[in-house]
Amino acid sequence: MRINGKVYFDPWVGDNYESGIKGDKILVIGLQHWCDPKYWNCDKDPHKCLDERDSTCTVWNAECYRPKDSDKNLDENAQKPSGWEHLGEKNDMMPNCPILEKCNKRNECNGTKDNTPRLRYLHCETKISVYNHINNQERAQRASIFGAVLTALGELYFDFKNNKKKCWNSIAFTNFIQHYTKIDSENPNRININKELTIKELSEKDTEALQHHIRNLKPKVIIVLKINKITSFIKGKYRDKYVECKDISIMTPMGGTFTFTVFALKESYLYKKIKQDWKTFVDNYVIENLQVDMDAEDLKITKTEIARKIQALAVFIKEQKGDKGKQFVNDRDNILKNENTHESIRRIFYLDKKQNCSMFKDLLGKPKVKHLLDKEIERIRVAYEGKAKEEEKES
């Protein structure tokens, strides 16, 4: 893909993307493609390869490194073709690009004199990576992110673990960084992501590509790795269009964690599902916890405990709305005005038709009292997540 003369990674777009999942067109945004020049005995700068060596990379391009007829008599110490992960050790030629048969740009990939398409362009790596994952031919490093995407979609929609082809053929996928990141031997994490995200001459490409994909693919749902630069850009650029719905953390088999942030259009199936889910949960919580008659003679709960439940529920509601503010008056008002809240509770927490905020301030005071509030907030979160998982099993 080229924009203004620059080369970008083509996104993976599944054959059934337009139909999507539950009618939602979904764009998933990962982070990077990386390169280790030392491993390939290459003296090139990975940051420049996509723009300068798209069709001449000696790792991807069979024409560049397969033996020529004139080289067949080279001594045994001569460098042999290294090849990509699917090139067998005894082969002397890279196989065709694995997505060749289904690629709508195959006529552009004639890399040999007899017009047998053998070029594997660098800009195709995203598409090839997903294709390899679907066909169980991927590298272990890639398996973790793709597996996390599958699990996240399972939590949001339904379980795809037994049919990952259906899942990936229903979504689009791209990486945010639009250059090869460089292995840094001095960095314990191997790659300095903050540095890679702030390279002045390259970072513009990242946001240009993302805007291009959103404009052309028109997703109803965007699921993105939770990295501040990416999520902040989406919230800033598309704040009037996409609503930040929730975060999902996925544990990998190796013990790592991927956290995704979900953005959705209000007309999407997912937005309506999430909104309905938590609103129904709030109503049920109010029924179970705030239908207490505070005038009853055998009352077994205190005003402070009721205040704690209201405040904890207000925090939960703010989280579900993606509201980062610290004012809870409106959320508490909505709870107190909920038709399921007992009238006696409303009388206690209103003075002259205004909310008695002083009854909630004490909850945020001493550590011991604050601990009790945090405990109730966590209890609500756990109950909500448990309810969501039960509904997934039923569906």
Side-chain angles (χ1 to χ4, degrees):
M1 182 178 80
R2 284 183 176 272
I3 304 174
N4 298 325
K6 301 175 184 176
V7 182
Y8 297 77
F9 292 110
D10 282 3
W12 164 270
V13 182
D15 293 338
N16 301 320
Y17 173 75
E18 290 297 324
S19 300
I21 300 174
K22 297 285 189 180
D24 286 351
K25 292 193 289 186
I26 302 167
L27 172 62
V28 179
I29 303 169
L31 182 59
Q32 64 178 327
H33 288 298
W34 56 267
C35 183
D36 185 356
K38 289 183 179 179
Y39 177 83
W40 297 110
N41 193 27
C42 178
D43 62 354
K44 307 301 183 184
D45 180 0
H47 292 161
K48 299 179 180 180
C49 287
L50 189 60
D51 279 321
E52 297 181 3
R53 282 174 286 280
D54 186 25
S55 63
T56 58
C57 172
T58 56
V59 176
W60 280 77
N61 183 356
E63 183 69 10
C64 290
Y65 65 77
R66 68 177 181 173
K68 300 176 182 177
D69 291 339
S70 59
D71 294 337
K72 287 184 177 180
N73 295 322
L74 289 174
D75 64 57
E76 61 181 11
N77 294 320
Q79 183 179 0
K80 299 296 191 297
S82 55
W84 194 238
E85 61 261 43
H86 305 306
L87 179 61
E89 292 181 1
K90 297 181 180 180
N91 294 333
D92 65 355
M93 185 184 296
M94 177 182 279
N96 279 340
C97 171
I99 62 172
L100 174 66
E101 296 304 321
K102 63 178 296 182
C103 182
N104 58 9
K105 297 184 180 180
R106 59 175 299 178
N107 292 332
E108 300 174 16
C109 298
N110 294 325
T112 56
K113 293 179 181 179
D114 62 357
N115 259 5
T116 302
R118 289 198 175 277
L119 280 181
R120 292 163 62 110
Y121 286 98
L122 294 180
H123 71 256
C124 292
E125 182 164 1
T126 302
K127 296 189 292 187
I128 292 175
S129 298
V130 175
Y131 179 88
N132 287 343
H133 169 70
I134 291 174
N135 292 281
N136 300 315
Q137 296 176 318
E138 67 202 316
R139 288 180 164 188
Q141 295 98 319
R142 289 174 174 154
S144 57
I145 177 65
F146 290 146
V149 168
L150 203 65
T151 303
L153 287 168
E155 290 194 12
L156 292 170
Y157 292 91
F158 47 79
D159 192 353
F160 286 98
K161 287 182 179 177
N162 296 322
N163 197 343
K164 64 181 179 181
K165 282 190 178 182
K166 179 179 179 180
C167 172
W168 284 97
N169 279 322
S170 302
I171 68 172
F173 177 87
T174 187
N175 279 323
F176 180 72
I177 295 178
Q178 292 296 308
H179 62 266
Y180 281 95
T181 56
K182 189 186 301 184
I183 295 292
D184 181 359
S185 58
E186 297 180 1
N187 190 312
N189 296 318
R190 302 190 76 209
I191 298 172
N192 187 332
I193 292 301
N194 289 331
K195 180 179 178 182
E196 296 286 350
L197 284 167
T198 54
I199 299 174
K200 187 175 181 180
E201 61 271 23
L202 296 175
S203 59
E204 281 188 8
K205 287 183 66 177
D206 304 339
T207 52
E208 283 176 358
L210 183 56
Q211 292 177 81
H212 174 86
H213 297 324
I214 292 174
R215 183 168 57 250
N216 286 273
L217 294 172
K218 297 178 174 61
K220 286 188 175 181
V221 174
I222 299 173
I223 303 171
V224 56
L225 275 178
K226 188 176 182 180
I227 294 172
N228 185 59
K229 180 172 182 179
I230 311 176
T231 55
S232 295
F233 176 78
I234 293 174
K235 285 187 280 189
K237 184 72 177 179
Y238 301 100
R239 60 181 175 273
D240 297 328
K241 189 173 183 182
Y242 290 96
V243 179
E244 183 180 358
C245 296
K246 64 185 300 183
D247 290 343
I248 299 180
S249 293
I250 307 296
M251 290 286 293
T252 69
M254 300 298 291
T257 302
F258 288 102
T259 300
F260 298 94
T261 298
V262 180
F263 297 89
L265 299 181
K266 288 185 177 179
E267 63 264 29
S268 67
Y269 163 85
L270 185 61
Y271 176 83
K272 294 174 183 176
K273 174 178 179 287
I274 291 173
K275 185 177 180 181
Q276 182 60 40
D277 282 353
W278 71 258
K279 285 198 170 186
T280 300
F281 175 82
V282 167
D283 285 339
N284 289 334
Y285 180 91
V286 170
I287 291 171
E288 293 171 9
N289 295 274
L290 299 178
Q291 282 197 338
V292 180
D293 183 355
M294 301 300 289
D295 299 324
E297 292 183 3
D298 59 343
L299 186 65
K300 296 180 180 179
I301 190 169
T302 66
K303 295 178 184 179
T304 300
E305 289 172 314
I306 291 292
R308 186 181 300 125
K309 290 179 180 295
I310 293 171
Q311 180 64 29
L313 189 59
V315 172
F316 170 79
I317 290 172
K318 196 172 283 290
E319 288 176 348
Q320 296 305 309
K321 293 191 298 185
D323 186 348
K324 305 296 184 182
K326 296 182 179 180
Q327 298 298 320
F328 297 94
V329 176
N330 291 335
D331 296 305
R332 290 196 300 255
D333 266 338
N334 290 331
I335 294 168
L336 290 166
K337 292 175 182 177
N338 187 297
E339 62 181 8
N340 298 305
T341 300
H342 199 279
E343 180 61 33
S344 62
I345 293 178
R346 291 197 192 97
R347 289 200 306 269
I348 291 173
F349 290 95
Y350 280 108
L351 289 175
D352 298 326
K353 298 183 180 181
K354 289 185 179 180
Q355 188 182 132
N356 185 2
C357 296
S358 63
M359 299 191 71
F360 298 98
K361 288 181 180 179
D362 292 339
L363 300 175
L364 305 173
K366 297 178 181 180
K368 185 176 180 180
V369 179
K370 178 67 164 54
H371 168 72
L372 292 173
L373 175 61
D374 292 339
K375 191 174 181 179
E376 181 63 20
I377 293 170
E378 185 59 24
R379 190 179 75 83
I380 292 174
R381 290 173 182 150
V382 170
Y384 176 67
E385 291 300 324
K387 176 180 178 294
K389 288 180 180 178
E390 284 179 9
E391 290 176 349
E392 285 174 16
K393 289 179 180 179
E394 291 174 1
S395 62

